[in-house]
Amino acid sequence: MKRDDGGVVNNPLRVNIALMLERERAKRGLSHMHMAELFRTADGEKLAYRTYIQTVRQKNNVTLTTLQIMANGLQVSVAGLLAGRKKVPEWAHRLDENAIRKRLARIIDFERQRRTLHRYEMAELIGVAEATFTKLQRASGNISVDTIAAIAKALKLGPVTFLFSEKIPPTADLAVFDKVEK
């Protein structure tokens, strides 16, 4: 994805994430420094302040792993960060970064089969190398929001709409999650 003269990429997911972070910061009455302190990895390490600021300024190609850290710190869902003010189905709020990777893999495979494309043709269509496409299909690797937006654009779909569409049912993992939670 290309940057404008100010270094900002035209990616609606970046916009949604930045808006959500700013909204949460204002709601909590925190400075940027204190907001960034909320974001810690499972090992207790802080997310870099620079990562947070660049994300708020929409200059950072944030990954699903980083979004999960932010969502955990704010006690919101990854889907909520990605969607911003857009409404998503309730089940989408229970998806973690791994479930979103799996969902993206299912969507890509669904679209590839629907369009009767070979794997290399689908990789070409969505603008990634075949090795990257293989990682996407296997739901592995740390996928960035720019990659998600680029896939959506190539498929002529809205990034939030296609990720959380009811056309493709929630992943099987969610059914297991629901049983454990009840």
Side-chain angles (χ1 to χ4, degrees):
M1 301 196 97
K2 295 182 182 176
R3 297 182 181 276
D4 67 13
D5 293 337
V8 176
V9 172
N10 182 16
N11 177 345
L13 295 177
R14 284 190 185 199
V15 172
N16 292 347
I17 294 162
L19 288 173
M20 183 71 166
L21 290 173
E22 278 300 301
R23 188 174 34 231
E24 287 293 321
R25 188 178 72 81
K27 185 168 78 174
R28 297 160 194 253
L30 298 174
S31 67
H32 285 293
M33 186 63 76
H34 287 107
M35 181 74 164
E37 289 175 4
L38 295 176
F39 308 131
R40 296 181 182 276
T41 65
D43 299 332
E45 293 179 36
K46 289 183 191 175
L47 190 68
Y49 173 75
R50 186 178 191 287
T51 300
Y52 161 72
I53 288 296
Q54 293 295 81
T55 303
V56 170
R57 292 179 180 161
Q58 301 174 44
K59 293 185 178 183
N60 187 22
N61 185 13
V62 69
T63 63
L64 287 176
T65 299
T66 300
L67 279 183
Q68 185 69 62
I69 292 167
M70 291 178 166
N72 291 347
L74 296 171
Q75 296 181 331
V76 299
S77 68
V78 175
L81 286 173
L82 288 168
R85 293 185 188 256
K86 291 183 178 82
K87 187 167 173 53
V88 295
E90 189 55 40
W91 56 260
H93 292 288
R94 296 189 305 264
L95 300 175
D96 66 4
E97 64 175 302
N98 293 320
I100 291 173
R101 275 189 201 95
K102 289 175 184 173
R103 183 156 180 78
L104 185 60
R106 288 182 68 206
I107 292 166
I108 289 169
D109 192 50
F110 174 82
E111 285 294 323
R112 184 185 68 77
Q113 289 178 22
R114 188 178 72 78
R115 296 164 190 241
T116 62
L117 297 173
H118 294 284
R119 286 176 173 76
Y120 75 91
E121 292 171 316
M122 188 65 172
E124 192 175 290
L125 173 69
I126 64 176
V128 297
E130 285 185 61
T132 302
F133 181 76
T134 300
K135 285 182 181 180
L136 290 169
Q137 266 194 314
R138 293 182 180 158
S140 64
N142 198 1
I143 300 167
S144 73
V145 295
D146 284 0
T147 299
I148 294 169
I151 292 168
K153 186 176 182 181
L155 298 175
K156 295 182 175 38
L157 302 166
V160 172
T161 307
F162 99 103
L163 261 181
F164 305 120
S165 168
E166 299 283 353
K167 283 184 182 176
I168 296 179
T171 60
D173 295 340
L174 202 54
V176 171
F177 179 86
D178 285 341
K179 287 178 186 172
V180 171
E181 194 156 299
K182 289 182 180 174

